[in-house]
Amino acid sequence: KAGVTQTPRYLIKTRGQQVTLSCSPISGHRSVSWYQQTPGQGLQFLFEYFSETQRNKGNFPGRFSGRQFSNSRSEMNVSTLELGDSALYLCASSLNYYEQYFGPGTRLTVT
Amino acid sequence: KQEVTQIPAALSVPEGENLVLNCSFTDSAIYNLQWFRQDPGKGLTSLLLIQSSQREQTSGRLNASLDKSSGRSTLYIAASQPGDSATYLCAVMQGGSEKLVFGKGMKLTVNP
């Protein structure tokens, strides 16, 4: 079956702009989590969703937000982009408290 | 606060060696532990998942063990190959959330 897909794969944005990233989980998976990966901080948890409800949120500013739709697809939004937001953003899906499967990621570059 | 440590940060070995990758965590109250592999610029590939009630899991040349009480897990790679070159990460999940807490990873290079 198809894996986790993320779009777009690459993005270049300017400081102050906003961006929306999309994640489609594996069919049947209702849990979606988002992570930010940078060389300095490693992988950091952003948020998790289950059945359209945010269950947990990491320590990121309010500029980072997300949502999940009834078909389990998820989006995350970053407003007022800063240079430090440049990172690989990874989405993971699971059957609920079980093995997590990651997508290929979206590489965001903020100039 | 859960902290996950992987030491060393990098390892370079000749092809054919049997390898042991280490992972330690500070809070033993975990739900499960997962090992991942990441190739440069790519997403994470799940290698093995160990539930808190299990002691080990095996998949092909990979074997992962878990000792919850001591806060340790090891990933054993038998007969390493150049294709095993990648960054290996371990992550723990605690109850009540699907949040994974990751180690910084260990970059493995297997030389032909």
Coordinates of all heavy atoms in Angstrom, one line a residue, chain A residues 25-87:
Chain A
P25 N -1.7 10.6 5.1 CA -1.2 9.4 5.9 C -1.5 8.1 5.1 O -2.2 8.1 4.1 CB -2.1 9.4 7.1 CG -3.3 10.1 6.7 CD -2.9 11.1 5.7
I26 N -1.0 7.0 5.6 CA -1.2 5.7 5.0 C -2.7 5.4 5.2 O -3.3 5.8 6.2 CB -0.4 4.6 5.7 CG1 1.1 4.8 5.4 CG2 -0.8 3.2 5.4 CD1 2.1 4.0 6.2
S27 N -3.3 4.8 4.2 CA -4.7 4.5 4.2 C -5.1 3.7 5.5 O -4.4 2.7 5.8 CB -5.1 3.7 3.0 OG -6.5 3.4 3.0
G28 N -6.1 4.2 6.2 CA -6.5 3.5 7.5 C -5.9 4.1 8.7 O -6.4 3.9 9.8
H29 N -4.8 4.9 8.5 CA -4.2 5.5 9.7 C -4.9 6.8 10.0 O -5.2 7.6 9.2 CB -2.7 5.8 9.4 CG -1.8 4.6 9.4 ND1 -0.5 4.8 9.4 CD2 -2.1 3.3 9.4 CE1 0.1 3.5 9.4 NE2 -0.9 2.7 9.4
R30 N -5.3 7.0 11.3 CA -6.0 8.1 11.7 C -5.2 9.1 12.6 O -5.6 10.2 12.9 CB -7.3 7.7 12.5 CG -8.3 7.0 11.7 CD -9.3 6.2 12.5 NE -10.1 7.1 13.3 CZ -10.9 6.7 14.2 NH1 -11.0 5.5 14.5 NH2 -11.6 7.6 14.9
S31 N -4.0 8.7 12.9 CA -3.1 9.5 13.7 C -2.0 10.1 12.9 O -1.3 9.4 12.1 CB -2.5 8.6 14.8 OG -1.6 9.4 15.6
V32 N -1.8 11.4 13.0 CA -0.8 12.1 12.2 C 0.0 13.0 13.2 O -0.6 13.7 14.0 CB -1.4 12.9 11.1 CG1 -0.3 13.8 10.4 CG2 -2.1 12.1 10.1
S33 N 1.4 12.9 13.1 CA 2.2 13.8 13.9 C 3.2 14.5 12.9 O 3.5 14.1 11.9 CB 3.1 12.9 14.8 OG 2.2 12.2 15.7
W34 N 3.6 15.7 13.4 CA 4.5 16.5 12.7 C 5.8 16.8 13.5 O 5.7 17.0 14.7 CB 3.9 17.9 12.3 CG 2.8 17.8 11.3 CD1 1.5 17.6 11.5 CD2 3.0 18.0 9.9 NE1 0.8 17.7 10.3 CE2 1.7 17.9 9.3 CE3 4.1 18.3 9.1 CZ2 1.5 18.1 7.9 CZ3 3.9 18.5 7.7 CH2 2.6 18.3 7.1
Y35 N 7.0 16.8 12.8 CA 8.3 17.0 13.4 C 9.1 18.0 12.5 O 8.9 18.0 11.3 CB 9.1 15.7 13.5 CG 8.5 14.7 14.5 CD1 7.4 13.9 14.1 CD2 8.9 14.7 15.8 CE1 6.9 13.0 14.9 CE2 8.3 13.8 16.7 CZ 7.3 12.9 16.2 OH 6.7 12.0 17.1
Q36 N 9.9 18.8 13.2 CA 10.8 19.7 12.5 C 12.2 19.1 12.8 O 12.6 18.7 13.9 CB 10.8 21.1 13.1 CG 11.7 22.1 12.5 CD 11.9 23.3 13.3 OE1 12.5 23.2 14.4 NE2 11.5 24.4 12.8
Q37 N 13.0 19.0 11.7 CA 14.4 18.5 11.8 C 15.4 19.5 11.4 O 15.3 20.0 10.2 CB 14.6 17.2 11.0 CG 16.0 16.6 11.3 CD 16.1 15.2 10.6 OE1 15.6 15.0 9.5 NE2 16.9 14.3 11.2
T38 N 16.3 19.9 12.2 CA 17.4 20.8 11.9 C 18.7 20.2 12.3 O 18.7 19.4 13.3 CB 17.2 22.2 12.6 OG1 17.1 22.0 14.0 CG2 15.9 22.9 12.1
P39 N 19.8 20.6 11.7 CA 21.1 20.1 12.1 C 21.4 20.3 13.6 O 22.0 19.5 14.2 CB 22.1 20.8 11.2 CG 21.3 21.2 10.0 CD 19.9 21.5 10.5
G40 N 21.0 21.5 14.1 CA 21.4 21.8 15.5 C 20.5 21.2 16.5 O 21.0 20.7 17.5
Q41 N 19.2 21.1 16.3 CA 18.3 20.7 17.3 C 17.8 19.2 17.1 O 17.2 18.6 17.9 CB 17.0 21.6 17.3 CG 17.3 23.0 17.7 CD 17.9 23.1 19.1 OE1 17.4 22.5 20.0 NE2 18.9 23.9 19.2
G42 N 18.1 18.7 15.9 CA 17.7 17.3 15.6 C 16.2 17.3 15.4 O 15.6 18.3 14.8
L43 N 15.5 16.2 15.7 CA 14.1 16.1 15.5 C 13.3 16.6 16.7 O 13.4 16.1 17.8 CB 13.7 14.6 15.2 CG 14.0 14.1 13.8 CD1 14.4 12.7 13.7 CD2 12.7 14.4 13.0
Q44 N 12.4 17.5 16.4 CA 11.6 18.1 17.5 C 10.1 17.9 17.1 O 9.7 18.2 16.0 CB 11.9 19.5 17.7 CG 13.3 19.7 18.3 CD 13.6 21.2 18.6 OE1 13.8 22.0 17.8 NE2 13.5 21.5 19.9
F45 N 9.3 17.5 18.1 CA 7.9 17.3 17.9 C 7.1 18.6 17.8 O 7.3 19.5 18.7 CB 7.4 16.5 19.1 CG 5.9 16.3 19.2 CD1 5.3 15.4 18.4 CD2 5.2 17.1 20.1 CE1 3.9 15.2 18.5 CE2 3.8 16.9 20.2 CZ 3.2 16.0 19.4
L46 N 6.3 18.7 16.8 CA 5.4 19.9 16.6 C 4.0 19.7 17.2 O 3.6 20.4 18.1 CB 5.4 20.2 15.2 CG 6.6 21.0 14.6 CD1 6.6 20.8 13.1 CD2 6.5 22.4 14.9
F47 N 3.3 18.7 16.6 CA 2.0 18.4 17.1 C 1.5 17.1 16.6 O 2.1 16.5 15.6 CB 0.9 19.5 16.8 CG 1.2 20.4 15.7 CD1 1.3 20.0 14.4 CD2 1.4 21.8 16.0 CE1 1.6 20.8 13.3 CE2 1.6 22.6 14.9 CZ 1.8 22.2 13.6
E48 N 0.4 16.5 17.2 CA -0.2 15.3 16.8 C -1.7 15.4 16.7 O -2.3 16.2 17.5 CB 0.2 14.1 17.7 CG -0.5 14.1 19.0 CD -0.3 12.9 19.8 OE1 -1.1 11.9 19.7 OE2 0.7 12.8 20.7
Y49 N -2.3 14.8 15.7 CA -3.7 14.8 15.5 C -4.3 13.4 15.5 O -3.6 12.5 14.9 CB -4.0 15.6 14.2 CG -3.8 17.0 14.3 CD1 -2.6 17.6 14.0 CD2 -4.8 17.9 14.8 CE1 -2.3 18.9 14.1 CE2 -4.6 19.3 14.9 CZ -3.3 19.8 14.6 OH -3.1 21.1 14.7
F50 N -5.5 13.3 16.0 CA -6.2 12.0 15.9 C -7.7 12.3 15.7 O -8.2 13.1 16.5 CB -6.0 11.1 17.1 CG -6.7 9.8 17.0 CD1 -6.2 8.8 16.3 CD2 -7.9 9.6 17.7 CE1 -6.8 7.6 16.2 CE2 -8.6 8.4 17.6 CZ -8.0 7.4 16.9
S51 N -8.2 11.8 14.6 CA -9.7 12.1 14.3 C -10.0 13.6 14.4 O -10.9 14.0 15.1 CB -10.6 11.3 15.3 OG -10.4 9.9 15.0
E52 N -9.2 14.4 13.8 CA -9.4 15.8 13.6 C -9.2 16.6 14.9 O -9.4 17.8 14.9 CB -10.8 16.1 13.1 CG -11.1 15.4 11.7 CD -12.6 15.7 11.3 OE1 -12.8 16.9 10.9 OE2 -13.4 14.8 11.2
T53 N -8.7 16.0 15.9 CA -8.4 16.7 17.2 C -7.0 16.7 17.5 O -6.3 15.7 17.3 CB -9.2 15.9 18.3 OG1 -10.6 15.9 18.1 CG2 -8.9 16.6 19.7
Q54 N -6.5 17.9 17.9 CA -5.1 18.0 18.3 C -4.9 17.4 19.7 O -5.5 17.8 20.7 CB -4.6 19.4 18.3 CG -3.1 19.6 18.5 CD -2.7 21.0 18.6 OE1 -2.7 21.7 19.6 NE2 -2.3 21.6 17.5
R55 N -4.1 16.3 19.8 CA -4.0 15.6 21.1 C -2.8 16.2 21.9 O -2.8 16.0 23.1 CB -3.7 14.1 20.8 CG -5.0 13.4 20.6 CD -4.8 11.9 20.8 NE -3.8 11.2 20.0 CZ -3.8 9.9 19.7 NH1 -4.8 9.2 20.2 NH2 -2.9 9.4 19.0
N56 N -1.8 16.7 21.2 CA -0.6 17.1 21.9 C 0.1 18.2 21.0 O 0.0 18.1 19.8 CB 0.3 15.9 22.1 CG 1.3 16.2 23.3 OD1 1.3 17.2 23.9 ND2 2.2 15.2 23.5
K57 N 0.8 19.0 21.7 CA 1.5 20.1 21.0 C 2.9 20.3 21.6 O 3.1 20.2 22.8 CB 0.8 21.4 21.1 CG 1.3 22.5 20.2 CD 0.4 23.8 20.3 CE 0.7 24.8 19.3 NZ 2.1 25.3 19.3
G58 N 3.9 20.5 20.8 CA 5.3 20.7 21.2 C 5.5 22.1 21.6 O 4.6 23.0 21.5
N59 N 6.7 22.4 22.0 CA 7.1 23.8 22.4 C 7.5 24.7 21.3 O 8.7 25.0 21.1 CB 8.2 23.7 23.5 CG 7.8 23.1 24.7 OD1 6.6 23.2 25.2 ND2 8.6 22.3 25.4
F60 N 6.6 25.0 20.4 CA 6.8 25.9 19.3 C 5.9 27.1 19.5 O 4.8 27.0 20.0 CB 6.6 25.2 18.0 CG 7.7 24.3 17.5 CD1 7.9 23.0 18.0 CD2 8.6 24.8 16.6 CE1 8.9 22.3 17.6 CE2 9.7 24.0 16.2 CZ 9.8 22.7 16.7
P61 N 6.3 28.3 18.9 CA 5.5 29.5 19.0 C 4.2 29.3 18.3 O 4.0 28.4 17.4 CB 6.4 30.6 18.4 CG 7.4 29.8 17.6 CD 7.6 28.5 18.2
G62 N 3.2 30.2 18.6 CA 1.9 30.1 18.0 C 1.9 30.3 16.5 O 0.9 30.1 15.8
R63 N 3.0 30.7 15.9 CA 3.1 30.9 14.4 C 3.0 29.5 13.7 O 2.6 29.4 12.5 CB 4.5 31.5 14.0 CG 4.7 32.8 14.6 CD 6.0 33.4 14.0 NE 7.2 32.6 14.4 CZ 7.9 31.8 13.6 NH1 7.5 31.7 12.3 NH2 9.0 31.2 14.0
F64 N 3.2 28.5 14.5 CA 3.1 27.1 13.9 C 1.7 26.6 14.3 O 1.3 26.5 15.5 CB 4.1 26.2 14.5 CG 5.5 26.5 14.1 CD1 6.3 27.5 14.6 CD2 6.1 25.8 13.1 CE1 7.5 27.9 14.2 CE2 7.4 26.0 12.6 CZ 8.1 27.1 13.2
S65 N 0.9 26.2 13.3 CA -0.4 25.6 13.6 C -0.7 24.5 12.7 O 0.0 24.3 11.7 CB -1.5 26.7 13.4 OG -1.5 27.2 12.1
G66 N -1.7 23.7 13.0 CA -2.0 22.6 12.1 C -3.5 22.2 12.2 O -4.2 22.8 13.0
R67 N -3.9 21.3 11.4 CA -5.2 20.8 11.4 C -5.3 19.5 10.7 O -4.4 19.1 9.9 CB -6.2 21.8 10.8 CG -6.0 22.1 9.3 CD -7.0 23.1 8.8 NE -6.8 23.5 7.4 CZ -7.7 24.1 6.7 NH1 -8.9 24.4 7.2 NH2 -7.4 24.5 5.5
Q68 N -6.3 18.7 11.0 CA -6.5 17.4 10.4 C -7.9 17.4 9.8 O -8.9 17.8 10.5 CB -6.3 16.3 11.3 CG -6.3 14.9 10.7 CD -6.1 13.8 11.7 OE1 -6.5 13.9 12.8 NE2 -5.5 12.7 11.2
F69 N -8.1 16.8 8.7 CA -9.4 16.8 8.0 C -10.1 15.4 8.3 O -9.4 14.5 8.8 CB -9.2 17.0 6.5 CG -8.6 18.4 6.2 CD1 -7.2 18.5 6.0 CD2 -9.4 19.5 6.2 CE1 -6.6 19.7 5.7 CE2 -8.8 20.7 5.9 CZ -7.4 20.8 5.7
S70 N -11.3 15.3 7.9 CA -12.1 14.1 8.1 C -11.5 12.9 7.4 O -11.7 11.7 7.8 CB -13.5 14.3 7.7 OG -13.6 14.6 6.4
N71 N -10.7 13.1 6.4 CA -10.1 12.0 5.6 C -8.7 11.6 6.2 O -8.0 10.9 5.6 CB -10.0 12.2 4.1 CG -9.2 13.4 3.8 OD1 -8.7 14.1 4.7 ND2 -9.0 13.7 2.5
S72 N -8.4 12.2 7.4 CA -7.1 12.1 8.1 C -5.9 12.8 7.5 O -4.9 12.9 8.1 CB -6.7 10.6 8.2 OG -7.7 9.9 9.0
R73 N -6.1 13.4 6.3 CA -5.1 14.3 5.8 C -4.8 15.5 6.7 O -5.8 15.9 7.4 CB -5.5 14.8 4.4 CG -4.3 15.5 3.6 CD -4.8 15.9 2.2 NE -5.8 17.0 2.3 CZ -5.5 18.3 2.3 NH1 -4.2 18.7 2.4 NH2 -6.4 19.2 2.4
S74 N -3.6 15.9 6.8 CA -3.2 17.0 7.7 C -2.5 18.1 7.0 O -1.8 17.8 6.0 CB -2.4 16.4 8.9 OG -2.0 17.4 9.8
E75 N -2.6 19.2 7.5 CA -1.8 20.4 7.0 C -1.2 21.1 8.2 O -1.8 21.1 9.3 CB -2.7 21.4 6.3 CG -3.2 21.0 5.0 CD -4.1 22.0 4.3 OE1 -4.5 23.0 4.9 OE2 -4.3 21.9 3.1
M76 N 0.0 21.6 8.0 CA 0.6 22.5 9.0 C 0.9 23.9 8.3 O 1.2 23.9 7.1 CB 1.8 22.0 9.7 CG 3.0 21.8 8.8 SD 4.5 21.5 9.8 CE 4.8 23.2 10.3
N77 N 0.7 24.9 9.1 CA 0.9 26.3 8.6 C 1.9 27.0 9.5 O 1.9 26.8 10.7 CB -0.4 27.0 8.6 CG -0.3 28.4 8.0 OD1 0.1 29.3 8.7 ND2 -0.6 28.5 6.8
V78 N 2.8 27.7 8.8 CA 3.8 28.6 9.5 C 3.6 30.0 9.0 O 3.7 30.2 7.8 CB 5.2 28.1 9.4 CG1 6.1 28.9 10.3 CG2 5.4 26.6 9.6
S79 N 3.2 30.9 9.9 CA 3.0 32.3 9.5 C 4.3 33.1 9.9 O 5.1 32.7 10.7 CB 1.8 32.8 10.2 OG 2.0 32.8 11.6
T80 N 4.4 34.2 9.3 CA 5.5 35.2 9.5 C 6.8 34.4 9.6 O 7.5 34.4 10.7 CB 5.2 36.0 10.8 OG1 3.8 36.3 10.9 CG2 6.1 37.2 10.8
L81 N 7.2 33.8 8.5 CA 8.4 33.0 8.5 C 9.6 33.7 8.9 O 9.8 34.9 8.6 CB 8.6 32.4 7.1 CG 7.7 31.3 6.7 CD1 7.7 31.0 5.2 CD2 8.1 30.0 7.4
E82 N 10.5 33.0 9.7 CA 11.8 33.5 10.1 C 12.9 32.6 9.5 O 12.6 31.4 9.1 CB 11.9 33.5 11.6 CG 10.8 34.3 12.3 CD 10.9 34.2 13.8 OE1 11.7 33.5 14.3 OE2 10.1 34.9 14.5
L83 N 14.1 33.1 9.4 CA 15.2 32.4 8.9 C 15.4 31.0 9.6 O 15.7 30.0 9.0 CB 16.5 33.2 9.0 CG 16.6 34.4 8.1 CD1 17.9 35.1 8.3 CD2 16.4 34.1 6.6
G84 N 15.1 31.1 10.9 CA 15.3 29.9 11.7 C 14.3 28.8 11.5 O 14.4 27.7 12.0
D85 N 13.3 29.1 10.7 CA 12.3 28.1 10.4 C 12.7 27.2 9.2 O 12.0 26.2 8.9 CB 10.9 28.7 10.0 CG 10.3 29.6 11.1 OD1 10.6 29.2 12.3 OD2 9.6 30.5 10.8
S86 N 13.9 27.5 8.6 CA 14.4 26.6 7.6 C 14.7 25.2 8.2 O 15.5 25.1 9.2 CB 15.7 27.2 7.0 OG 15.4 28.4 6.3
A87 N 14.1 24.2 7.6 CA 14.3 22.9 8.2 C 13.6 21.9 7.3 O 13.0 22.2 6.3 CB 13.6 22.8 9.6

